[in-house]
């Protein structure tokens, strides 16, 4: 499938697809979430993420669908769930910090069973790479301090 998605004038910061692969999920720099149906070339949802769930300076780095009407959005300092109900969307947030990467992997997965037969699951599995604040500071270089050589000069000399 090929389509041109109307994103407006804002820069898109996150792009994903739903479980069926028929809908594109976009989030822009102004925290607007768009669900675009690729087959019908129509915009299904266009929502603004409320500032009480996501501060204006935060950047949405990724978006994925984990159920029919449930989306996960993430950035370096947050994890946000959007429930796209027909009446009004609901939001849930977790104050996660130092998320370096996040991926949602769709099945089918082979699950071990009690006998020799194996059962396939189509659940979505979410994997997050997260580090502690202490580990993050240890990975960063020491701040540079300029050394002063010589003596201070007196004014007028």
């Amino acid at each position: 499938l090929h389509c041109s998605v109307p994103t407006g004038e804002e820069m898109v910061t996150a792009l994903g697809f739903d479980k069926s692969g028929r809908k594109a999920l976009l989030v822009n720099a102004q925290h607007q979430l768009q669900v675009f149906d690729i087959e019908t070339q129509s915009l299904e949802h266009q929502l603004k993420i409320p500032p009480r769930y996501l501060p204006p300076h935060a950047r949405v780095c990724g978006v994925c669908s984990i159920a029919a009407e449930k989306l996960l959005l993430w950035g370096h300092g947050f994890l946000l769930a959007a429930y796209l109900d027909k009446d009004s969307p609901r939001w849930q947030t977790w104050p996660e910090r130092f998320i370096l990467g996040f991926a949602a992997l769709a099945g089918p997965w082979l699950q071990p069973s009690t006998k020799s037969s194996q059962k396939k699951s189509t659940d979505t599995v979410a994997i997050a790479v997260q580090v502690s604040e202490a580990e993050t500071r240890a990975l960063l270089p020491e701040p540079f301090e300029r050394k002063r050589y010589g003596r201070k000069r007196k004014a007028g000399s």
Side-chain angles (χ1 to χ4, degrees), residues 77-98:
F78 68 92
L79 185 61
L80 178 68
Y83 302 91
L84 303 178
D85 297 333
K86 292 184 180 184
D87 300 333
S88 65
R90 294 178 298 124
W91 304 91
Q92 182 179 2
T93 185
W94 297 273
E96 297 295 324
R97 295 188 64 199
F98 306 107

Side-chain angles (χ1 to χ4, degrees), residues 19 29-30 34 37 48 77-78 82 85 95 98 105 108-109 118 131:
K19 288 179 81 169
Q30 293 296 319
Q34 298 175 342
D37 191 330
K48 175 94 170 134
F78 68 92
D85 297 333
F98 306 107
L105 307 173
W109 308 105
Q118 291 184 341
V131 297

Side-chain angles (χ1 to χ4, degrees), residues 55-131:
H57 64 273
R59 167 112 0 146
V60 178
C61 297
V63 59
C64 69
S65 172
I66 57 172
E69 297 295 322
K70 184 177 180 181
L71 307 177
L72 275 181
L73 298 89
W74 65 89
H76 297 294
F78 68 92
L79 185 61
L80 178 68
Y83 302 91
L84 303 178
D85 297 333
K86 292 184 180 184
D87 300 333
S88 65
R90 294 178 298 124
W91 304 91
Q92 182 179 2
T93 185
W94 297 273
E96 297 295 324
R97 295 188 64 199
F98 306 107
I99 298 175
L100 298 181
F102 193 93
L105 307 173
W109 308 105
L110 289 176
Q111 293 182 342
S113 63
T114 56
K115 299 283 181 174
S116 61
S117 65
Q118 291 184 341
K119 183 176 150 185
K120 284 190 176 182
S121 171
T122 58
D123 294 338
T124 301
V125 176
I127 300 172
V129 177
Q130 190 173 15
V131 297

Side-chain angles (χ1 to χ4, degrees), residues 5 20 35 47 82 84 112 115 119 122 134 140:
V5 180
S20 67
V35 179
L47 311 166
L84 303 178
K115 299 283 181 174
K119 183 176 150 185
T122 58
L140 294 174

